[in-house]
Amino acid sequence: MSVVRDDHEWQYNPRHSVPDFARHAERAAELSRAARERNAGRYDIAYGDSPLSTLDVFPAAAPGAPLHVFLHGGYWRGRDKADYSYVADALVPRGVTTVVMNYDLCPAATLPEIAQRTREGLRWIHRNAASLGGDPDRLTVSGHSAGAHLIAMALADDAGANRLEDGAIKAAVLISGIYELAPVLDITVNETIGLRPEMVDGVSPMRHPPSTATALTVVVGSAETPAWIAQSRDFATLCRGRGSRCAYHTLAGEDHFSIMARMETPDDALSRLVLDAAGVKE
């Protein structure tokens, strides 16, 4: 049966809307292997007690550098930090210490658990920034897809005692994220994710928007599905309405996977947005 444009699975499962997604994963893996050979790194540093609560750090040449954390996508059920070491090639040459962070995956952990552990991980990075070669007062973050969602949840303004300290994260770049999770209940990947209706409210950033203390950049590809583009557009509108400093960008011609190819060198479009968020000028 052919996939039609208003099909729910097509709209919310990028592997259906981008048939050659595996090609992008293969390229990222090749670039990341080369990046690990080219850049000095410290690997598998534990920031928590759970199995995938680990990170890799690629220090800039100067200590006390701006510190940037990247979280990968994979619909909370796949991929690994090792697939995104190449992000260091975009940031380290501009003097930014780069952290690529893992997090526990479904179904071994529930989505609420993953969101909470991600927030705790960012808090750990802020407290240990100096030992990672970074400046805790110049900490920024970015994430793609599920990674963007987890960052948005970590920044939630109404997290109570779990709330990140205002100003701990100076800026966040959210790339092709999903911010209202009700649609996930009705796609096939939820067989692995295990999202239940009673969980949706607690893990939807549209219902728990970020602190206005963190500057936001929301990015999406123009070739993504209309529903996925609407997720980013609506989230940016919500954040602006609450008083956040929030820029919104559409990258022409990019789909859900090709968009990350715009973060391979310091001069790529996504890299420039991240460097600008980090306060690094050319």
Side-chain angles (χ1 to χ4, degrees):
M1 183 173 129
S2 62
V3 177
V4 294
R5 291 190 62 85
D6 62 350
D7 178 76
H8 188 80
E9 187 81 16
W10 184 86
Q11 292 281 2
Y12 288 102
N13 186 347
R15 291 194 176 192
H16 279 234
S17 58
V18 185
D20 64 344
F21 66 87
R23 175 176 61 86
H24 297 289
E26 291 166 3
R27 175 172 173 78
E30 292 172 3
L31 290 170
S32 293
R33 283 192 291 270
R36 289 192 293 274
E37 293 176 0
R38 189 164 36 244
N39 297 285
R42 296 163 54 199
Y43 301 101
D44 298 321
I45 299 169
Y47 65 79
D49 297 329
S50 57
L52 288 176
S53 293
T54 60
L55 57 85
D56 299 339
V57 59
F58 300 92
L67 181 62
H68 186 80
V69 182
F70 177 81
L71 268 71
H72 66 80
Y75 241 140
W76 312 288
R77 75 201 197 289
R79 308 307 302 274
D80 185 86
K81 57 183 170 54
D83 299 327
Y84 291 92
S85 301
Y86 73 86
V87 170
D89 283 340
L91 306 180
V92 172
R94 292 291 188 266
V96 178
T97 290
T98 304
V99 171
V100 187
M101 180 176 169
N102 258 358
Y103 48 86
D104 292 314
L105 300 174
C106 303
T110 67
L111 193 45
E113 289 171 342
I114 295 168
Q116 174 59 23
R117 291 169 189 172
T118 300
R119 182 185 291 114
E120 292 169 356
L122 292 175
R123 184 178 287 115
W124 185 95
I125 291 169
H126 182 243
R127 290 173 177 169
N128 291 275
S131 69
L132 299 174
D135 181 350
D137 293 328
R138 291 188 288 172
L139 174 60
T140 57
V141 297
S142 65
H144 173 239
S145 194
H149 162 269
L150 291 172
I151 289 170
M153 282 305 307
L155 295 172
D157 206 19
D158 62 353
N162 291 321
R163 189 174 182 273
L164 288 176
E165 177 187 351
D166 276 347
I169 309 294
K170 300 302 180 187
V173 180
L174 307 176
I175 307 158
S176 300
I178 184 166
Y179 308 104
E180 170 52 58
L181 269 62
V184 175
L185 293 171
D186 299 315
I187 57 176
T188 56
V189 295
N190 198 40
E191 295 170 8
T192 304
I193 297 167
L195 183 68
R196 301 191 301 273
E198 65 270 21
M199 294 178 180
V200 169
D201 179 75
V203 291
S204 291
M206 282 294 294
R207 311 183 194 193
H208 305 277
S211 165
T212 57
T214 299
L216 304 173
T217 302
V218 178
V219 191
V220 70
S222 70
E224 304 203 48
T225 65
W228 208 280
I229 292 170
Q231 288 264 340
S232 288
R233 184 188 63 237
D234 293 349
F235 188 65
T237 298
L238 172 72
C239 293
R240 286 171 174 168
R242 297 184 69 253
S244 290
R245 294 164 290 156
C246 182
Y248 176 71
H249 298 272
T250 302
L251 294 192
E254 303 299 344
D255 62 43
H256 190 76
F257 298 101
S258 70
I259 196 168
M260 281 304 299
R262 308 292 289 273
M263 201 171 172
E264 295 178 4
T265 75
D267 296 322
D268 287 327
L270 266 180
S271 307
R272 291 197 300 268
L273 290 174
V274 169
L275 289 166
D276 185 61
V280 176
K281 307 301 179 183
E282 295 200 29

